[in-house]
Amino acid sequence: MRNPDTSGGALPSNKTENSKVILAGLFGRALPRAVAEDHLDELERLVDTAGGQVIARVLQERDTPDPATYLGKGKVREVAEQAGALSAGWIVVDDELTPSQVRNLEKELPARVLDRPAVILQIFAARARSREAMTQVELARLQYLLPRLSSSAANLAQQRGGGAFRAGGGEKQIELDRRKIRRRIATLKEELERIEKSRGVQKRRLHRMAVIALAGYTNAGKTTLFNRLTSSREFAEDRLFATLDPRHARLLGVEGRPVVVSDTVGFLRKLPHSLVASFRSTLREVEEADLVVHVVDASSAQAEEQRQVAEEVLAGLGVEPERILLGYNKVDALTASGENLEALRFSAKTGEGMAELKAAIVKRLESLGVPIPVPNYATEVRS
Ligand SMILES: Nc1nc2c(ncn2[C@@H]2O[C@H](COP(=O)(O)OP(=O)(O)OP(=O)(O)O)[C@@H](O)[C@H]2O)c(=O)[nH]1
Ligand SMILES: [Mg+2]
């Protein structure tokens, strides 16, 4: 029996394949052009992180996507010409496509078609290092694939040379593939539960100390801040989703008081649902923290939208507002100042504002009634 193709199509990871990408999106009443452009900027960074090279972008004015082809028919023809002229290998759409939209677009275009969730899944797959992250990513991929399986498999059966009889055979194959994938999903979920339980032990040990989680939009500077606060050397980079696995270390400079800092995976607008659900156990770090420091990139033109997205995710995780300490990072990169005078402002890069941040953390923990005994406690922690 053949194995179902679970790659879901992927941008090439080596330079010999055609990595040229055209981005496509819509704007209209609900989404002004400028905002749609910002979203495409972000998609371009995602594609870049995934190994693609954006050579053009297409924005169409349409209030609702075409149910068959997402873009309107005329626009699809235009993109086909452009893709041919520029010899693009991929069209990446800034939205979640239905299986039939992908199929119809690929019929009309001389290139492969991917949607935003597929690109994000690909980045996560490339970044996953720990067993937990790899298990979560595989689970997310299979859950993304399951509803899409019918069309791609039916498509395959058709390509093999249809006829009613053969089409019937294709359906049977799909059912087999589906069953196989469902079984794998069940296994992965069990495995995640096991991993989480064994981490629970570690956590109880940690929980004799106050735990603060650094959360926020991807690329806000959480890992840089983590490194600064704990003298660690975790991987921080000007790319999206540099961090997937949570890390722990002791918060330094609070007079020996036992506080643990936890660095976590970043948030993003339009994260695939399957991914959020799969990363539940990683996000539990945030859910269960005594205090969440919400890090915002103050230097980003989208700072406020990113703050809102992260706030929604935090609310969805059940983190109450009083457990959130809002802080604006990258103030060293700001030209204009004066906004949000009340919020904490700091720079993880230069270290500016760190004393104030630590003081605010301790003060908030105290007002929340989290015990953080003064010195000489059992304070051993491993990350
Ligand atoms: N100018 C400036 N850049 C910063 C500051 N903090 C972080 N950066 C830069 O921002 C980029 C992202 O930093 P990370 O610490 O990896 O961000 P993150 O929030 O952990 O990102 P993900 O793990 O990908 O979600 C890196 O290039 C950092 O050098 C800061 O205070 N000022
Ligand atoms: Mg990080």
Side-chain angles (χ1 to χ4, degrees), residues 131 135 186-196:
R131 194 159 70 93
T135 311
T187 311
L188 290 171
K189 281 185 175 164
E190 278 165 25
E191 206 168 313
L192 276 177
E193 246 166 66
R194 263 199 307 277
I195 298 174
E196 211 188 319

Side-chain angles (χ1 to χ4, degrees), residues 218-224 237 241-243 329-330 332 347-349:
T218 182
N219 210 51
K222 300 176 294 299
T223 303
T224 310
E237 202 192 19
F241 299 117
T243 308
N329 186 32
K330 307 198 191 179
D332 62 283
S347 164
K349 190 175 168 187

Side-chain angles (χ1 to χ4, degrees), residues 156-173:
L156 239 153
Q158 254 175 18
Q159 281 167 12
R160 282 194 201 118
F165 181 74
R166 293 291 291 271
E171 238 151 68
K172 203 169 162 197
Q173 184 61 52

Side-chain angles (χ1 to χ4, degrees), residues 132-257:
E132 182 173 26
M134 287 193 276
T135 311
Q136 292 179 125
V137 169
E138 189 186 349
L139 179 61
R141 282 193 130 177
L142 292 181
Q143 277 168 340
Y144 172 81
L145 183 77
L146 199 55
R148 291 170 172 79
L149 194 62
S150 55
S151 59
S152 62
N155 206 16
L156 239 153
Q158 254 175 18
Q159 281 167 12
R160 282 194 201 118
F165 181 74
R166 293 291 291 271
E171 238 151 68
K172 203 169 162 197
Q173 184 61 52
I174 296 164
E175 208 27 66
L176 282 175
D177 285 353
R178 278 223 189 95
R179 228 176 292 158
K180 223 177 182 180
I181 289 177
R182 283 207 197 92
R183 265 203 306 273
R184 182 74 188 140
I185 285 178
T187 311
L188 290 171
K189 281 185 175 164
E190 278 165 25
E191 206 168 313
L192 276 177
E193 246 166 66
R194 263 199 307 277
I195 298 174
E196 211 188 319
K197 257 187 215 140
S198 70
R199 249 183 355 124
V201 178
Q202 260 172 290
K203 215 174 274 170
R204 271 192 295 281
R205 219 176 289 139
L206 277 173
H207 270 216
R208 267 182 280 144
M209 312 176 89
V211 175
I212 66 157
L214 305 181
Y217 211 77
T218 182
N219 210 51
K222 300 176 294 299
T223 303
T224 310
L225 181 62
F226 175 83
N227 288 343
R228 165 85 51 191
L229 290 174
T230 65
S231 265
S232 305
R233 289 177 179 198
E234 294 297 339
F235 176 65
E237 202 192 19
D238 194 17
R239 288 216 152 178
L240 305 182
F241 299 117
T243 308
L244 282 197
D245 289 305
R247 290 270 181 275
H248 299 99
R250 205 42 213 281
L251 174 63
L252 301 174
V254 285
E255 290 143 24
R257 302 175 81 173

